[in-house]
Coordinates of all heavy atoms in Angstrom, one line a residue:
M1 N 52.3 122.7 116.2 CA 52.0 121.4 115.7 C 52.9 121.0 114.6 O 53.4 119.9 114.5 CB 50.5 121.3 115.4 CG 50.1 119.9 115.0 SD 50.0 118.9 116.5 CE 48.8 117.8 116.0
A2 N 53.0 121.9 113.6 CA 53.8 121.6 112.4 C 55.3 121.5 112.8 O 56.1 120.7 112.3 CB 53.6 122.7 111.4
D3 N 55.7 122.3 113.8 CA 57.1 122.3 114.3 C 57.4 121.0 114.9 O 58.5 120.4 114.8 CB 57.4 123.4 115.3 CG 57.4 124.8 114.6 OD1 57.6 124.8 113.4 OD2 57.1 125.8 115.3
Q4 N 56.5 120.4 115.6 CA 56.6 119.1 116.3 C 56.8 118.0 115.3 O 57.6 117.1 115.4 CB 55.5 118.8 117.3 CG 55.6 117.6 118.1 CD 56.8 117.6 119.0 OE1 57.2 118.6 119.5 NE2 57.3 116.4 119.3
Q5 N 56.0 118.1 114.2 CA 56.0 117.0 113.2 C 57.4 117.1 112.5 O 58.0 116.1 112.1 CB 54.9 117.2 112.2 CG 53.5 116.8 112.8 CD 52.4 117.1 111.9 OE1 52.6 117.8 110.9 NE2 51.2 116.5 112.1
T6 N 57.8 118.3 112.2 CA 59.1 118.5 111.5 C 60.3 118.0 112.4 O 61.2 117.3 111.9 CB 59.3 120.0 111.2 OG1 58.3 120.5 110.4 CG2 60.6 120.2 110.5
A7 N 60.2 118.3 113.7 CA 61.2 117.8 114.6 C 61.2 116.3 114.7 O 62.2 115.6 114.7 CB 61.0 118.4 116.0
N8 N 60.0 115.7 114.7 CA 59.9 114.2 114.7 C 60.4 113.6 113.5 O 61.1 112.5 113.5 CB 58.4 113.8 115.0 CG 58.0 114.0 116.4 OD1 58.8 114.2 117.3 ND2 56.6 114.1 116.5
A9 N 60.1 114.2 112.3 CA 60.7 113.7 111.0 C 62.2 113.8 111.0 O 62.9 112.9 110.5 CB 60.0 114.5 109.9
A10 N 62.7 114.9 111.5 CA 64.2 115.1 111.5 C 64.8 114.1 112.5 O 65.9 113.5 112.1 CB 64.5 116.5 112.0
Q11 N 64.2 113.8 113.6 CA 64.7 112.8 114.5 C 64.7 111.4 113.9 O 65.6 110.6 114.1 CB 64.0 112.8 115.8 CG 64.6 111.9 116.9 CD 63.8 112.0 118.2 OE1 62.7 112.7 118.3 NE2 64.4 111.4 119.2
A12 N 63.6 111.1 113.2 CA 63.5 109.8 112.6 C 64.6 109.6 111.5 O 65.2 108.6 111.3 CB 62.1 109.6 112.0
S13 N 64.8 110.7 110.7 CA 65.8 110.7 109.7 C 67.2 110.5 110.3 O 68.0 109.8 109.8 CB 65.8 112.0 108.9 OG 66.8 112.0 107.9
D14 N 67.5 111.2 111.4 CA 68.7 111.1 112.1 C 69.0 109.7 112.6 O 70.1 109.1 112.5 CB 68.8 112.1 113.3 CG 68.9 113.5 112.9 OD1 69.2 113.8 111.7 OD2 68.7 114.4 113.7
Q15 N 67.9 109.1 113.1 CA 68.0 107.7 113.6 C 68.3 106.7 112.5 O 69.1 105.8 112.6 CB 66.8 107.3 114.4 CG 66.7 107.8 115.8 CD 65.5 107.3 116.5 OE1 64.4 107.2 116.0 NE2 65.7 107.1 117.8
T16 N 67.6 106.9 111.4 CA 67.8 106.1 110.2 C 69.3 106.2 109.7 O 69.9 105.2 109.3 CB 66.8 106.4 109.1 OG1 65.5 106.4 109.6 CG2 66.9 105.4 107.9
Y17 N 69.7 107.4 109.6 CA 71.1 107.7 109.2 C 72.1 107.0 110.1 O 73.0 106.4 109.7 CB 71.4 109.2 109.1 CG 72.8 109.6 108.8 CD1 73.3 109.6 107.5 CD2 73.7 109.9 109.9 CE1 74.6 110.0 107.3 CE2 75.0 110.3 109.6 CZ 75.4 110.3 108.3 OH 76.7 110.7 108.0
W18 N 71.9 107.2 111.4 CA 72.8 106.6 112.4 C 72.8 105.1 112.3 O 73.8 104.4 112.4 CB 72.5 107.1 113.8 CG 73.5 106.6 114.8 CD1 73.3 105.8 115.9 CD2 74.9 106.9 114.8 NE1 74.4 105.6 116.6 CE2 75.4 106.3 116.0 CE3 75.7 107.7 114.0 CZ2 76.8 106.4 116.3 CZ3 77.1 107.8 114.4 CH2 77.6 107.1 115.5
S19 N 71.6 104.5 112.2 CA 71.5 103.0 112.1 C 72.2 102.5 110.8 O 72.9 101.4 110.9 CB 70.1 102.5 112.2 OG 69.3 102.9 111.1
A20 N 72.1 103.2 109.7 CA 72.8 102.8 108.5 C 74.3 102.9 108.7 O 75.0 102.1 108.2 CB 72.3 103.7 107.3
N21 N 74.7 104.0 109.4 CA 76.2 104.1 109.7 C 76.7 103.0 110.5 O 77.7 102.4 110.2 CB 76.4 105.5 110.4 CG 77.8 105.8 110.7 OD1 78.7 105.1 110.2 ND2 78.0 106.8 111.4
L22 N 75.9 102.7 111.6 CA 76.4 101.5 112.4 C 76.4 100.2 111.7 O 77.2 99.4 111.9 CB 75.4 101.5 113.7 CG 75.6 102.6 114.7 CD1 74.6 102.4 115.8 CD2 77.0 102.6 115.2
R23 N 75.4 100.0 110.8 CA 75.4 98.8 110.0 C 76.7 98.6 109.2 O 77.3 97.6 109.1 CB 74.1 98.7 109.1 CG 74.0 97.4 108.4 CD 72.6 97.3 107.7 NE 72.3 98.5 106.9 CZ 71.3 99.4 107.2 NH1 70.6 99.2 108.3 NH2 71.0 100.4 106.5
I24 N 77.1 99.7 108.5 CA 78.3 99.7 107.7 C 79.5 99.4 108.6 O 80.4 98.6 108.3 CB 78.5 101.1 107.0 CG1 77.4 101.3 105.9 CG2 79.9 101.2 106.3 CD1 77.3 102.7 105.4
I25 N 79.6 100.0 109.8 CA 80.7 99.8 110.7 C 80.7 98.4 111.2 O 81.8 97.7 111.2 CB 80.6 100.8 111.9 CG1 80.9 102.2 111.5 CG2 81.6 100.4 113.0 CD1 80.6 103.2 112.5
F26 N 79.6 97.8 111.6 CA 79.5 96.4 112.1 C 79.9 95.4 111.0 O 80.7 94.5 111.3 CB 78.2 96.1 112.7 CG 77.9 96.8 114.0 CD1 76.7 97.3 114.3 CD2 78.9 96.9 114.9 CE1 76.4 97.9 115.5 CE2 78.6 97.5 116.2 CZ 77.4 98.0 116.4
I27 N 79.4 95.6 109.8 CA 79.8 94.7 108.7 C 81.3 94.8 108.4 O 82.0 93.8 108.2 CB 79.0 95.0 107.4 CG1 77.5 94.6 107.6 CG2 79.6 94.3 106.2 CD1 76.6 95.1 106.6
S28 N 81.9 96.0 108.4 CA 83.3 96.2 108.2 C 84.1 95.5 109.3 O 85.1 94.9 109.1 CB 83.7 97.7 108.2 OG 83.0 98.3 107.1
L29 N 83.7 95.7 110.6 CA 84.4 95.0 111.7 C 84.3 93.5 111.6 O 85.3 92.8 111.9 CB 83.8 95.5 113.0 CG 84.2 96.9 113.5 CD1 83.4 97.3 114.7 CD2 85.7 97.0 113.7
I30 N 83.2 93.0 111.2 CA 83.0 91.5 111.0 C 84.0 91.0 110.0 O 84.7 90.0 110.2 CB 81.6 91.1 110.8 CG1 80.7 91.3 112.0 CG2 81.5 89.7 110.3 CD1 79.2 91.3 111.8
I31 N 84.0 91.7 108.8 CA 84.9 91.3 107.8 C 86.4 91.4 108.2 O 87.2 90.5 108.0 CB 84.7 92.1 106.5 CG1 83.3 91.8 105.9 CG2 85.8 91.9 105.5 CD1 82.9 92.8 104.8
W32 N 86.7 92.5 108.9 CA 88.1 92.7 109.4 C 88.5 91.6 110.4 O 89.6 91.0 110.3 CB 88.2 94.0 110.0 CG 89.5 94.3 110.7 CD1 90.7 94.4 110.1 CD2 89.7 94.4 112.1 NE1 91.7 94.6 111.1 CE2 91.1 94.6 112.3 CE3 88.9 94.3 113.2 CZ2 91.6 94.7 113.6 CZ3 89.4 94.4 114.5 CH2 90.8 94.7 114.7
A33 N 87.6 91.2 111.3 CA 87.9 90.2 112.3 C 88.0 88.8 111.6 O 88.9 88.0 112.0 CB 86.8 90.2 113.4
L34 N 87.1 88.5 110.7 CA 87.2 87.3 110.0 C 88.5 87.1 109.2 O 89.2 86.1 109.3 CB 86.0 87.1 109.0 CG 86.0 85.9 108.2 CD1 85.7 84.7 109.1 CD2 84.9 86.0 107.1
V35 N 88.9 88.1 108.5 CA 90.1 88.1 107.8 C 91.4 88.0 108.6 O 92.3 87.2 108.5 CB 90.2 89.2 106.7 CG1 91.6 89.3 106.1 CG2 89.1 89.1 105.7
S36 N 91.5 89.0 109.6 CA 92.7 89.1 110.4 C 92.8 88.0 111.4 O 93.8 87.3 111.5 CB 92.8 90.4 111.0 OG 91.8 90.6 112.0
F37 N 91.8 87.8 112.2 CA 91.8 86.8 113.3 C 91.5 85.4 112.8 O 92.1 84.4 113.1 CB 90.9 87.2 114.4 CG 91.1 86.3 115.7 CD1 92.2 86.4 116.4 CD2 90.1 85.4 116.0 CE1 92.3 85.6 117.6 CE2 90.2 84.7 117.1 CZ 91.3 84.7 117.9
G38 N 90.4 85.3 112.0 CA 89.9 84.0 111.5 C 90.9 83.4 110.5 O 91.4 82.3 110.8
F39 N 91.2 84.0 109.4 CA 92.0 83.4 108.4 C 93.5 83.4 108.8 O 94.2 82.5 108.5 CB 91.9 84.2 107.0 CG 90.6 84.0 106.4 CD1 90.2 84.9 105.4 CD2 89.7 83.0 106.7 CE1 89.0 84.7 104.7 CE2 88.5 82.8 106.1 CZ 88.1 83.7 105.1
G40 N 93.9 84.5 109.5 CA 95.3 84.6 109.9 C 95.7 83.7 111.0 O 96.9 83.3 111.1
I41 N 94.8 83.4 111.9 CA 95.2 82.7 113.2 C 94.4 81.4 113.3 O 95.0 80.3 113.3 CB 95.0 83.6 114.4 CG1 95.9 84.8 114.3 CG2 95.2 82.8 115.7 CD1 95.6 85.8 115.4
L42 N 93.1 81.5 113.4 CA 92.3 80.3 113.6 C 92.3 79.3 112.5 O 92.3 78.1 112.7 CB 90.8 80.7 114.0 CG 90.6 81.5 115.2 CD1 89.2 81.9 115.4 CD2 91.1 80.7 116.4
L43 N 92.1 79.8 111.3 CA 92.0 78.9 110.1 C 93.4 78.7 109.4 O 93.4 78.1 108.3 CB 91.0 79.4 109.1 CG 89.6 79.5 109.6 CD1 88.7 80.2 108.6 CD2 89.0 78.1 110.0
R44 N 94.4 79.1 110.0 CA 95.8 79.0 109.3 C 96.1 77.5 109.1 O 96.6 77.2 108.0 CB 96.8 79.7 110.2 CG 98.2 79.6 109.5 CD 99.2 80.6 109.9 NE 100.3 80.5 109.1 CZ 101.5 80.2 109.5 NH1 101.7 80.1 110.8 NH2 102.6 80.1 108.7
P45 N 95.9 76.6 110.0 CA 96.3 75.2 109.7 C 95.4 74.7 108.5 O 95.9 73.9 107.7 CB 95.9 74.5 110.9 CG 96.0 75.5 112.0 CD 95.5 76.8 111.4
A46 N 94.2 75.1 108.4 CA 93.3 74.6 107.3 C 93.8 75.2 106.0 O 93.6 74.6 104.9 CB 91.9 74.9 107.6
L47 N 94.3 76.4 106.0 CA 94.7 77.1 104.8 C 96.2 76.8 104.4 O 96.7 77.3 103.4 CB 94.6 78.6 104.9 CG 93.1 79.1 105.2 CD1 93.1 80.6 105.5 CD2 92.3 78.8 104.0
A48 N 96.9 76.0 105.2 CA 98.3 75.7 105.0 C 98.6 75.0 103.7 O 99.7 75.1 103.1 CB 98.9 74.9 106.1
G49 N 97.6 74.2 103.1 CA 97.9 73.5 101.9 C 97.8 74.3 100.6 O 98.2 73.9 99.6
I50 N 97.2 75.5 100.7 CA 97.0 76.4 99.6 C 98.2 77.3 99.5 O 98.5 78.1 100.4 CB 95.7 77.2 99.7 CG1 94.5 76.2 99.9 CG2 95.5 78.1 98.5 CD1 93.2 76.9 100.3
S51 N 98.8 77.3 98.3 CA 100.0 78.1 98.1 C 99.7 79.4 97.4 O 99.0 79.4 96.4 CB 101.1 77.3 97.4 OG 102.2 78.1 97.2
V52 N 100.2 80.6 98.0 CA 100.1 81.9 97.3 C 101.4 82.6 97.4 O 102.0 82.8 98.5 CB 99.0 82.7 98.1 CG1 99.0 84.2 97.6 CG2 97.7 82.1 98.0
G53 N 102.0 82.9 96.3 CA 103.3 83.6 96.2 C 104.4 82.8 96.9 O 105.3 83.5 97.5
G54 N 104.4 81.5 96.9 CA 105.5 80.8 97.5 C 105.3 80.5 99.0 O 106.2 79.9 99.6
T55 N 104.2 80.9 99.6 CA 103.9 80.6 101.0 C 102.5 80.1 101.1 O 101.7 80.2 100.2 CB 104.2 81.9 101.9 OG1 104.0 81.5 103.2 CG2 103.2 83.0 101.5
D56 N 102.1 79.6 102.3 CA 100.8 79.1 102.5 C 99.8 80.3 102.7 O 100.2 81.4 103.1 CB 100.7 78.1 103.6 CG 100.9 78.7 105.0 OD1 102.1 78.7 105.4 OD2 100.0 79.2 105.6
L57 N 98.5 80.1 102.3 CA 97.5 81.1 102.4 C 97.3 81.7 103.8 O 97.1 82.9 103.9 CB 96.2 80.6 101.8 CG 95.1 81.6 101.6 CD1 95.5 82.7 100.6 CD2 93.8 80.9 101.0
G58 N 97.4 80.9 104.8 CA 97.2 81.4 106.1 C 98.2 82.4 106.5 O 98.0 83.4 107.1
F59 N 99.5 82.0 106.2 CA 100.6 83.0 106.5 C 100.4 84.3 105.7 O 100.6 85.4 106.2 CB 101.9 82.3 106.2 CG 103.1 83.2 106.4 CD1 103.6 83.4 107.7 CD2 103.7 83.9 105.4 CE1 104.6 84.2 108.0 CE2 104.8 84.7 105.7 CZ 105.3 84.8 107.0
W60 N 100.0 84.1 104.4 CA 99.8 85.3 103.6 C 98.7 86.2 104.2 O 98.9 87.4 104.2 CB 99.4 84.8 102.2 CG 99.3 86.0 101.2 CD1 100.3 86.6 100.5 CD2 98.1 86.7 100.9 NE1 99.8 87.7 99.8 CE2 98.4 87.7 100.0 CE3 96.7 86.6 101.3 CZ2 97.5 88.6 99.5 CZ3 95.8 87.5 100.8 CH2 96.2 88.5 99.9
F61 N 97.6 85.6 104.6 CA 96.6 86.5 105.3 C 97.1 87.1 106.5 O 96.8 88.3 106.8 CB 95.3 85.6 105.6 CG 94.3 85.6 104.5 CD1 94.0 84.5 103.8 CD2 93.6 86.8 104.2 CE1 93.0 84.5 102.8 CE2 92.6 86.8 103.2 CZ 92.4 85.6 102.5
A62 N 97.9 86.4 107.3 CA 98.4 87.0 108.5 C 99.4 88.1 108.3 O 99.4 89.1 109.0 CB 99.1 85.9 109.4
Q63 N 100.2 88.0 107.2 CA 101.2 89.0 106.9 C 100.8 90.1 105.9 O 101.1 91.3 106.1 CB 102.5 88.3 106.4 CG 103.0 87.4 107.4 CD 103.4 88.1 108.7 OE1 104.0 89.1 108.6 NE2 103.1 87.5 109.8
Q64 N 100.1 89.8 104.9 CA 99.8 90.7 103.8 C 98.3 90.9 103.6 O 97.8 92.0 103.4 CB 100.4 90.2 102.5 CG 101.9 90.0 102.6 CD 102.7 91.0 101.9 OE1 102.2 91.7 101.0 NE2 103.9 91.1 102.3
G65 N 97.6 89.8 103.5 CA 96.1 89.8 103.2 C 95.3 90.6 104.1 O 94.4 91.4 103.7
S66 N 95.5 90.5 105.4 CA 94.7 91.3 106.3 C 95.0 92.8 106.2 O 94.0 93.6 106.3 CB 95.0 90.9 107.8 OG 96.4 91.1 108.1
I67 N 96.2 93.2 105.8 CA 96.5 94.6 105.6 C 95.8 95.1 104.3 O 95.2 96.2 104.3 CB 98.0 94.9 105.5 CG1 98.7 94.5 106.8 CG2 98.3 96.3 105.1 CD1 100.2 94.4 106.7
I68 N 95.8 94.3 103.3 CA 95.2 94.7 102.0 C 93.7 94.8 102.2 O 93.0 95.7 101.8 CB 95.5 93.7 100.9 CG1 97.0 93.8 100.5 CG2 94.7 93.9 99.7 CD1 97.5 92.7 99.6
V69 N 93.1 93.8 102.9 CA 91.6 93.9 103.2 C 91.3 95.1 104.1 O 90.3 95.7 103.9 CB 91.2 92.5 103.8 CG1 89.8 92.6 104.3 CG2 91.3 91.4 102.8
F70 N 92.1 95.4 105.1 CA 91.9 96.5 105.9 C 91.9 97.8 105.1 O 91.0 98.7 105.3 CB 93.0 96.6 107.0 CG 92.8 97.7 108.0 CD1 91.7 97.7 108.9 CD2 93.7 98.7 108.1 CE1 91.5 98.7 109.8 CE2 93.5 99.7 109.0 CZ 92.4 99.7 109.9
L71 N 92.8 98.0 104.2 CA 92.8 99.2 103.3 C 91.6 99.2 102.4 O 91.0 100.3 102.3 CB 94.1 99.2 102.5 CG 95.4 99.5 103.3 CD1 96.6 99.3 102.3 CD2 95.4 100.9 103.9
A72 N 91.2 98.1 101.9 CA 90.0 98.0 101.1 C 88.8 98.4 101.9 O 87.9 99.1 101.4 CB 89.8 96.6 100.5
L73 N 88.7 98.0 103.2 CA 87.6 98.3 104.1 C 87.6 99.8 104.3 O 86.5 100.4 104.4 CB 87.7 97.6 105.4 CG 87.3 96.1 105.3 CD1 87.6 95.4 106.6 CD2 85.8 95.9 105.0
I74 N 88.7 100.5 104.5 CA 88.8 101.9 104.7 C 88.2 102.6 103.5 O 87.4 103.5 103.7 CB 90.2 102.4 105.0 CG1 90.7 101.8 106.4 CG2 90.3 103.9 104.9 CD1 92.1 102.0 106.6
F75 N 88.7 102.3 102.3 CA 88.2 102.9 101.1 C 86.7 102.7 100.9 O 85.9 103.6 100.5 CB 89.0 102.5 99.9 CG 90.3 103.2 99.8 CD1 91.5 102.4 100.1 CD2 90.4 104.5 99.6 CE1 92.7 103.0 100.0 CE2 91.7 105.2 99.6 CZ 92.8 104.4 99.8
N76 N 86.2 101.4 101.2 CA 84.8 101.1 101.1 C 84.0 101.9 102.1 O 82.9 102.4 101.7 CB 84.6 99.6 101.3 CG 83.2 99.2 101.1 OD1 82.5 99.4 100.1 ND2 82.6 98.6 102.2
Y77 N 84.5 102.0 103.3 CA 83.7 102.8 104.3 C 83.6 104.3 103.9 O 82.5 104.9 104.0 CB 84.4 102.7 105.7 CG 83.8 103.5 106.7 CD1 82.6 103.1 107.3 CD2 84.3 104.8 107.1 CE1 82.0 103.9 108.3 CE2 83.7 105.5 108.1 CZ 82.5 105.1 108.7 OH 81.9 105.8 109.6
A78 N 84.7 104.9 103.4 CA 84.6 106.3 103.0 C 83.7 106.4 101.8 O 82.9 107.4 101.8 CB 86.0 106.7 102.6
W79 N 83.7 105.5 100.8 CA 82.8 105.6 99.7 C 81.3 105.4 100.1 O 80.5 106.2 99.7 CB 83.2 104.5 98.7 CG 82.2 104.4 97.5 CD1 82.1 105.3 96.5 CD2 81.3 103.4 97.3 NE1 81.2 104.9 95.6 CE2 80.6 103.8 96.1 CE3 80.9 102.3 98.0 CZ2 79.6 103.0 95.6 CZ3 79.9 101.5 97.4 CH2 79.3 101.8 96.2
R80 N 81.1 104.4 101.0 CA 79.7 104.2 101.4 C 79.2 105.4 102.3 O 78.0 105.7 102.2 CB 79.6 102.9 102.3 CG 79.9 101.6 101.5 CD 78.8 101.2 100.6 NE 77.5 101.1 101.3 CZ 77.0 100.0 101.8 NH1 77.7 98.8 101.7 NH2 75.8 100.0 102.3
M81 N 80.0 105.9 103.1 CA 79.6 107.0 104.0 C 79.3 108.3 103.1 O 78.4 109.1 103.4 CB 80.6 107.3 105.1 CG 80.5 106.3 106.2 SD 78.9 106.1 106.9 CE 78.5 107.7 107.5
N82 N 80.2 108.5 102.1 CA 79.9 109.7 101.2 C 78.5 109.5 100.5 O 77.8 110.4 100.3 CB 81.0 109.8 100.2 CG 82.2 110.5 100.8 OD1 82.2 111.2 101.8 ND2 83.4 110.2 100.2
K83 N 78.3 108.3 100.1 CA 77.0 108.0 99.4 C 75.8 108.2 100.4 O 74.8 108.8 100.1 CB 77.0 106.5 98.9 CG 75.8 106.1 98.2 CD 76.0 104.7 97.7 CE 74.7 104.1 97.1 NZ 74.8 102.7 96.7
L84 N 76.0 107.7 101.6 CA 75.0 107.9 102.7 C 74.8 109.3 103.0 O 73.6 109.8 103.2 CB 75.4 107.1 103.9 CG 74.3 106.9 105.0 CD1 73.2 106.0 104.5 CD2 74.9 106.2 106.2
D85 N 75.9 110.1 103.1 CA 75.8 111.5 103.4 C 75.0 112.2 102.3 O 74.2 113.1 102.6 CB 77.2 112.1 103.5 CG 77.9 111.7 104.8 OD1 77.3 111.1 105.7 OD2 79.1 112.0 104.9
R86 N 75.3 111.9 101.1 CA 74.5 112.5 100.0 C 73.0 112.2 100.0 O 72.2 113.0 99.8 CB 75.1 112.1 98.6 CG 76.3 112.9 98.2 CD 76.7 112.6 96.8 NE 76.9 111.2 96.5 CZ 78.0 110.5 96.6 NH1 79.1 111.2 97.1 NH2 78.1 109.3 96.3
E87 N 72.7 110.9 100.4 CA 71.4 110.5 100.5 C 70.6 111.2 101.5 O 69.4 111.5 101.4 CB 71.4 109.0 100.8 CG 70.0 108.3 100.8 CD 70.1 106.8 101.1 OE1 71.1 106.2 100.6 OE2 69.2 106.3 101.8
Y88 N 71.2 111.5 102.7 CA 70.5 112.2 103.8 C 70.8 113.7 103.8 O 70.4 114.4 104.7 CB 71.0 111.6 105.1 CG 70.3 110.2 105.3 CD1 70.8 109.1 104.9 CD2 69.0 110.2 105.9 CE1 70.2 107.8 105.1 CE2 68.4 109.0 106.1 CZ 69.0 107.8 105.7 OH 68.3 106.6 105.9
G89 N 71.5 114.2 102.8 CA 71.7 115.7 102.7 C 72.7 116.2 103.7 O 72.5 117.4 104.1
V90 N 73.6 115.5 104.2 CA 74.6 116.0 105.2 C 76.0 115.9 104.7 O 77.0 115.9 105.4 CB 74.5 115.2 106.5 CG1 73.1 115.5 107.2 CG2 74.7 113.7 106.3
E91 N 76.2 115.9 103.3 CA 77.5 115.8 102.7 C 78.3 117.1 103.0 O 77.7 118.2 103.2 CB 77.4 115.5 101.2 CG 76.9 116.7 100.4 CD 75.4 116.7 100.2 OE1 74.7 115.9 100.8 OE2 75.0 117.5 99.4
E92 N 79.6 117.0 103.0 CA 80.5 118.1 103.2 C 80.6 118.9 101.8 O 80.5 118.3 100.8 CB 81.9 117.6 103.6 CG 81.9 116.9 104.9 CD 83.3 116.4 105.3 OE1 84.2 116.7 104.6 OE2 83.3 115.7 106.3
E93 N 80.9 120.1 102.0 CA 81.0 121.0 100.8 C 82.4 121.2 100.4 O 83.3 121.2 101.1 CB 80.3 122.3 101.0 CG 78.8 122.1 101.2 CD 78.1 123.4 101.4 OE1 78.6 124.5 101.2 OE2 76.9 123.4 101.9

């Protein structure tokens, strides 16, 4: 009986960990899609009047901004997952 409860608690913890992981991934993908596809392609005409570094903001997002945001998302994901791993006791040694 105690083994069953321990197994159920471990399974619930695993599901919570996995859902938190998926939430981080989905939020990162939404931000990435918004910045790369949204700002760089769809909203480029609307951002054309704003100047950044001698070019319009839409072009900047398409060429540089999306790469910078992508790198920031990678570092943010690694930091958040390390924090989540420590919280659930599955961190690497």
Side-chain angles (χ1 to χ4, degrees):
M1 184 74 153
D3 291 336
Q4 183 65 27
Q5 289 175 346
T6 304
N8 288 341
Q11 186 177 9
S13 177
D14 291 347
Q15 283 184 321
T16 306
Y17 174 81
W18 186 244
S19 66
N21 183 10
L22 289 177
R23 186 172 47 251
I24 293 169
I25 291 171
F26 287 141
I27 290 170
S28 297
L29 284 173
I30 289 168
I31 292 170
W32 173 69
L34 178 68
V35 169
S36 63
F37 188 71
F39 291 163
I41 298 171
L42 296 177
L43 297 176
R44 182 159 185 238
L47 298 173
I50 303 169
S51 180
V52 172
T55 186
D56 66 269
L57 187 60
F59 181 78
W60 184 85
F61 267 113
Q63 298 301 314
Q64 306 252 338
S66 60
I67 296 169
I68 292 169
V69 170
F70 184 66
L71 290 173
L73 285 172
I74 290 171
F75 285 109
N76 181 56
Y77 177 77
W79 175 73
R80 295 286 307 264
M81 284 308 298
N82 285 334
K83 184 178 171 185
L84 192 66
D85 289 348
R86 282 191 302 273
E87 183 179 326
Y88 284 90
V90 293
E91 70 272 6
E92 295 178 9
E93 295 180 15

